[in-house]
Amino acid sequence: MAVRKAGRIVAAVAATALVAGGAAACGPEDLTGGSDDKGSASASASESASTGGPEAKQPPAGTDALARTPATVKGGVITVGDPKAGHTVKLYEDARCPICKKFEATGAQALVKPVAEGKVKVEYTLASFLDNNLGGSGSVNAANALRASVEAGKFPQFHAAVFANQPETETEDAFTPAFLLKIADKVDGLRGAEFDKAVQKGTYKKWVGEAMQAFTDDGMQGTPTVVIDGKKAGSDALFDQDAFAKELKASGI
């Protein structure tokens, strides 16, 4: 499936909305067209690519609560949780988006318990526009690896580990296949011949295009975007676990 190209941003990620705490949503400059020129990666990115990246960090404590939670794929969307759960949270992210990392470390933690208990399912749409904006292929590489982790039965843990290992600056193209495999080492039972090959060979890059198209087709303008039972969550609640828990509670979760 064809992917609509996002325009290149030279200096930094475009901000589509200001939120509490000074955070800004990561967004494509132009979802309807733009240059295919991805630019050149930074010197630090080149160094990471040659060395396989820095030492990987452990995923956050508490991720194991979702170890037995099923993850499935339909179209360009990965769903985590009981398919029959009474509530649905749609989450739109790009692996290179620092604001997504902020959400994952804060507000998203409020989802762990209700998902583990079968009350909520989370539908992840993994965008990859930041490669076009900033140069490199880290978003595509990460989304490909995340898709591969579904087949290995380790998506929730690996998803948490990927964001925990996001580089300090979004311009650094750190998510090389070699570094993603280092991150996978931190998830018990993930590494294996099939997963490693998928990460190294880009087995799911066609699916990554489908996921990006799903992001575009849903009319999304930035990441992270969170939709709870069809209603977009207020951006002022995304970056505090207690505040987001209240947002979920207001939706009956």
Side-chain angles (χ1 to χ4, degrees):
M1 186 177 293
V3 181
R4 297 181 186 175
K5 297 294 184 181
R8 180 184 175 199
I9 295 177
V10 176
V13 180
T16 59
L18 294 178
V19 294
C26 301
E29 184 180 38
D30 178 9
L31 283 172
T32 62
S35 169
D36 286 348
D37 177 15
K38 293 183 179 182
S40 60
S42 65
S44 58
S46 299
E47 182 180 353
S48 292
S50 65
T51 62
E55 289 303 313
K57 303 173 185 176
Q58 293 285 349
T63 306
D64 288 343
L66 298 176
R68 298 182 181 276
T69 305
T72 57
V73 179
K74 184 175 182 180
V77 177
I78 296 172
T79 300
V80 174
D82 186 344
K84 298 179 180 178
H87 300 277
T88 301
V89 173
K90 294 184 177 182
L91 179 55
Y92 300 84
E93 296 180 319
D94 187 307
R96 291 179 71 179
C97 173
I99 315 306
C100 293
K101 178 179 180 178
K102 184 179 177 70
F103 170 68
E104 285 296 331
T106 55
Q109 297 304 305
L111 281 167
V112 173
K113 188 171 185 289
V115 171
E117 292 176 346
K119 297 176 181 178
V120 180
K121 60 181 181 291
V122 179
E123 296 180 352
Y124 292 89
T125 301
L126 303 176
S128 49
F129 56 81
L130 285 177
D131 287 349
N132 296 82
N133 289 3
L134 302 167
S137 56
S139 293
V140 168
N141 290 340
N144 172 73
L146 285 162
R147 173 64 181 83
S149 73
V150 177
E151 304 305 316
K154 300 289 183 177
F155 175 81
Q157 302 97 308
F158 187 55
H159 176 266
V162 166
F163 278 100
N165 283 280
Q166 189 187 87
E168 292 299 318
T169 59
E170 65 269 24
T171 53
E172 184 179 353
D173 189 29
F175 287 134
T176 63
F179 185 45
L180 288 161
L181 290 177
K182 279 188 177 182
I183 297 171
D185 279 330
K186 301 299 181 180
V187 179
D188 289 343
L190 177 54
R191 291 290 302 270
E194 186 173 347
F195 174 81
D196 289 8
K197 181 180 178 180
V199 173
Q200 293 166 336
K201 301 295 186 182
T203 300
Y204 295 103
K205 282 190 176 179
K206 181 179 178 182
W207 177 87
V208 174
E210 293 179 9
M212 184 63 218
Q213 190 66 53
F215 177 88
T216 302
D217 290 346
D218 283 356
M220 295 297 107
Q221 297 295 316
T223 57
T225 297
V226 182
V227 179
I228 305 172
D229 290 338
K231 182 180 179 181
K232 186 176 179 181
S235 57
D236 57 341
L238 296 185
F239 307 105
D240 180 272
Q241 183 172 342
D242 291 338
F244 191 61
K246 290 178 181 178
E247 188 94 356
L248 294 172
K249 186 175 181 179
S251 299
I253 299 172

